[in-house]
């Protein structure tokens, strides 16, 4: 009965709109208390052990690097470069929103930060040029969701921490799926823009492209530092996050000179507060995961799924359905912590490598960021566009549809996730 009490309490607290960290912590505490044989002092020990991890230091560091790069003028230069590349397409600003999000995804590691950094510039621009407000917010939310797929990726760091998978391989596995999602979204955005007769931004010019690329050279150096260091083996994910933070400081203060010393305390505090929310969820969820391990819940759930089907592809599609549902109702970090231990025992039956499974999980949860009621990218875009959520939901359908097709391809064709890791980690 204890597992039932645990999950029923958790769902009830979620429905009561209690903060996710408190909901997970209180449900776990109740289950431990009812167990009776476990000292409650273990709660304090697990809270500490849950975040006492070197890989998890990358989470606040990447968040800090993203905030510094946004304030240091990198976001604006990335948008200008994207505009020079795809601004000539029908409804060019919609394509620019996706391409800019793809560029910034290689910097921030966070979908919310990606959506906010690019959307703050492009959503008002699209609205001023006559784009429907709901469409402008929808295309930016869709593009922002790629922020957790293209490396660096905070959810991939958490998945690696939970499962023992190589974060470097997970990052490499996200490159082609992220590019596939980006190209697909550009195609949908362009088709819808052509249908609605939205104008182009600029005519294509090699001279303008070269000029914007030159102005954005320091901005595009950030992904080179982050990904180059990790994929070459020079940095761990955590070390690359620290290097990215120092790079952002250097560029913002001394190259672009748009970052001021007096702004740093506010940026550091804001990044620390945002990171603390994620780490608090991880800390309380470690109690939850520990209790699930004691009760052998992951193995029991795995046996339940295997009772439905043992065919690898059917099982993988079933898992995709579970992940999509979880991403709709549960915050990304919490969903990872709750589901990763359950999925790990299924790896041998699925016939996939843990690296591919990690990429599939993260893509599922990225799509969940576009679905109400807890789609964080939708919420951020609505805030920036100053429109109601219902108006954006009415426009998000085509973007969700193409991402679901991408998810099926990523799930069924392993080279999309394993080819680049195989080249880099022979």
């Amino acid at each position: 009965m204890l597992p039932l009490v645990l999950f029923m309490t958790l769902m009830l607290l979620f429905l009561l709109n209690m903060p996710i960290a408190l909901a997970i912590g209180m449900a776990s505490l109740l289950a431990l208390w009812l167990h009776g044989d476990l000292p409650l002092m273990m709660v304090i020990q697990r809270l500490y052990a849950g975040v006492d991890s070197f890989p998890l230091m990358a989470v606040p560091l990447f968040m800090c690097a993203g905030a510094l790069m946004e304030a240091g003028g990198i976001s604006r230069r990335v948008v200008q470069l994207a505009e020079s590349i795809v601004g000539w397409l029908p409804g060019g600003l919609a394509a620019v929103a996706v391409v800019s999000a793809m560029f910034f995804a290689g910097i921030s590691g966070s979908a919310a930060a990606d959506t906010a950094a690019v959307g703050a510039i492009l959503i008002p621009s699209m609205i001023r040029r006559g784009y429907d407000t709901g469409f402008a917010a929808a295309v930016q939310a869709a593009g922002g969701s790629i922020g957790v797929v293209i490396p660096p990726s905070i959810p991939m760091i958490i998945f690696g921490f939970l499962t023992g998978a190589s974060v470097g391989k997970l990052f490499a596995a996200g490159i082609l799926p992220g590019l596939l999602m980006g190209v697909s979204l550009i195609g949908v955005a362009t088709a819808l823009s052509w249908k609605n007769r939205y104008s182009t931004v600029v005519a294509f010019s090699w001279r303008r492209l070269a000029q914007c690329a030159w102005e954005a050279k320091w901005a595009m150096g950030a992904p080179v530092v982050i990904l180059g260091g990790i994929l070459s083996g020079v940095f761990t994910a955590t070390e690359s996050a620290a290097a990215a933070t120092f790079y952002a400081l250097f560029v913002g203060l001394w190259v672009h000179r748009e970052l001021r010393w007096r702004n740093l305390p506010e940026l550091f505090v804001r990044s620390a507060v945002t990171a603390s929310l994620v780490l608090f969820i991880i800390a309380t969820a470690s109690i939850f995961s520990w209790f699930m391990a004691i009760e052998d819940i992951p193995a029991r759930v795995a046996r339940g799924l295997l009772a439905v089907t043992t065919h690898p592809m059917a099982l993988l599609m079933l898992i995709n359905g579970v992940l999509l549902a979880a991403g709709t109702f549960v915050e990304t970090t919490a969903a990872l912590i709750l589901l990763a231990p359950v999925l790990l025992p299924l790896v041998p039956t699925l016939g996939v490598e843990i690296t591919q499974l990690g990429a599939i999980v993260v893509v599922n949860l990225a799509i969940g960021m576009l679905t109400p009621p807890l789609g964080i990218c939708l919420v951020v875009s609505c805030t920036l566009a100053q429109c109601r959520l219902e108006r954006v939901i009415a426009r998000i359908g085509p973007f969700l549809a193409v991402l679901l097709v991408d998810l099926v391809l990523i799930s069924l064709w392993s080279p999309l996730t394993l080819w680049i890791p195989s080249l880099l980690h022979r």
Side-chain angles (χ1 to χ4, degrees):
M1 289 296 293
L2 283 179
L4 182 61
V5 170
L6 177 67
F7 285 103
M8 291 297 292
T9 305
L10 184 63
M11 291 301 106
L12 176 62
L13 294 175
F14 280 165
L15 290 173
L16 292 174
N17 205 28
M18 179 170 285
I20 292 170
L22 293 180
I24 294 173
M26 291 180 66
S28 305
L29 188 60
L30 176 62
L32 286 170
W33 179 69
L34 291 174
H35 191 283
D37 295 333
L38 300 171
L40 294 182
M41 182 56 69
M42 291 297 299
V43 173
I44 306 301
Q45 295 176 2
R46 293 308 311 171
L47 282 172
Y48 177 79
V51 292
D52 183 23
S53 166
F54 181 73
L56 284 183
M57 287 178 62
V59 174
L61 287 171
F62 273 128
M63 288 184 171
C64 183
L68 290 170
M69 290 176 186
E70 180 184 354
I74 285 180
S75 301
R76 178 170 54 80
R77 288 169 173 82
V78 164
V79 169
Q80 289 173 347
L81 176 60
E83 185 177 290
S84 69
I85 296 173
V86 295
W88 55 273
L89 292 171
L93 277 181
V96 170
V98 178
V99 173
S100 299
M102 293 171 68
F103 282 149
F104 203 78
I107 297 172
S108 69
S110 165
D114 195 347
T115 306
V118 179
I121 299 172
L122 283 175
I123 289 178
S125 296
M126 283 190 274
I127 294 172
R128 283 195 301 269
R129 286 179 175 264
Y131 287 62
D132 176 78
T133 302
F135 174 79
V139 71
Q140 190 61 71
S145 68
I146 306 175
V148 296
V149 181
I150 293 178
S153 164
I154 290 173
M156 285 183 178
I157 293 170
I158 296 172
F159 183 88
F161 166 70
L162 293 170
T163 63
S166 165
V167 174
K169 286 185 177 181
L170 288 170
F171 279 6
I175 295 174
L176 289 182
L179 293 176
L180 172 65
M181 293 167 69
V183 171
S184 301
L185 291 175
I186 291 170
V188 173
T190 301
L192 292 174
S193 297
W194 179 80
K195 178 182 177 182
N196 292 305
R197 299 183 179 179
Y198 297 138
S199 62
T200 60
V201 184
V202 292
F204 181 79
S205 165
W206 286 107
R207 180 178 180 182
R208 176 177 168 78
L209 175 59
Q211 180 182 355
C212 290
W214 176 256
E215 292 177 357
K217 61 183 181 298
W218 287 98
M220 300 315 299
V224 174
V225 170
I226 296 170
L227 299 183
I230 294 173
L231 300 180
S232 66
V234 175
F235 297 146
T236 64
T238 305
E239 291 164 350
S240 73
T245 303
F246 280 107
Y247 182 87
L249 273 174
F250 171 75
V251 173
L253 289 172
W254 290 292
V255 179
H256 293 163
R257 298 185 179 180
E258 295 184 22
L259 191 62
R260 298 290 180 264
W261 288 101
R262 63 177 179 273
N263 302 136
L264 294 183
E266 179 187 354
L267 290 171
F268 289 151
V269 169
R270 190 172 68 196
S271 302
V273 170
T274 305
S276 69
L277 297 176
V278 176
L279 293 174
F280 187 34
I281 294 172
I282 294 173
T284 55
S286 70
I287 309 169
F288 189 93
S289 301
W290 176 67
F291 182 80
M292 286 205 304
I294 290 173
E295 293 293 316
D296 199 30
I297 294 174
R300 288 156 67 180
V301 173
R303 287 194 293 270
L305 290 173
L306 290 172
V308 177
T309 178
T310 56
H311 190 280
M313 287 299 102
L315 185 59
L316 191 56
M317 291 302 107
L318 178 61
I319 289 171
N320 278 334
V322 172
L323 288 167
L324 286 171
T328 299
F329 294 102
V330 184
E331 191 271 339
T332 302
T333 303
L336 273 173
I337 294 170
L338 297 178
L339 294 174
V342 174
L343 298 177
L344 199 56
L346 294 171
V347 171
T349 306
L350 289 170
V352 301
E353 291 189 24
I354 189 66
T355 301
Q356 182 183 2
L357 180 62
I360 292 170
V361 169
V362 171
V363 170
N364 270 286
L365 297 178
I367 295 173
M369 294 177 180
L370 297 179
T371 53
L374 291 177
I376 183 64
C377 292
L378 282 182
V379 174
V380 172
S381 282
C382 285
T383 303
L384 293 172
Q386 298 180 352
C387 69
R388 294 178 62 85
L389 184 62
E390 294 83 358
R391 190 170 179 181
V392 184
I393 294 172
R395 301 289 189 276
I396 202 69
F399 300 103
L400 280 175
V402 74
L403 290 179
L404 289 174
V405 173
D406 291 342
L407 173 62
V408 173
L409 290 174
I410 292 164
S411 300
L412 298 182
W413 196 44
S414 60
L416 272 174
T417 52
L418 298 180
W419 181 58
I420 293 181
S422 69
L423 294 178
L424 298 172
H425 298 275
R426 286 178 175 174

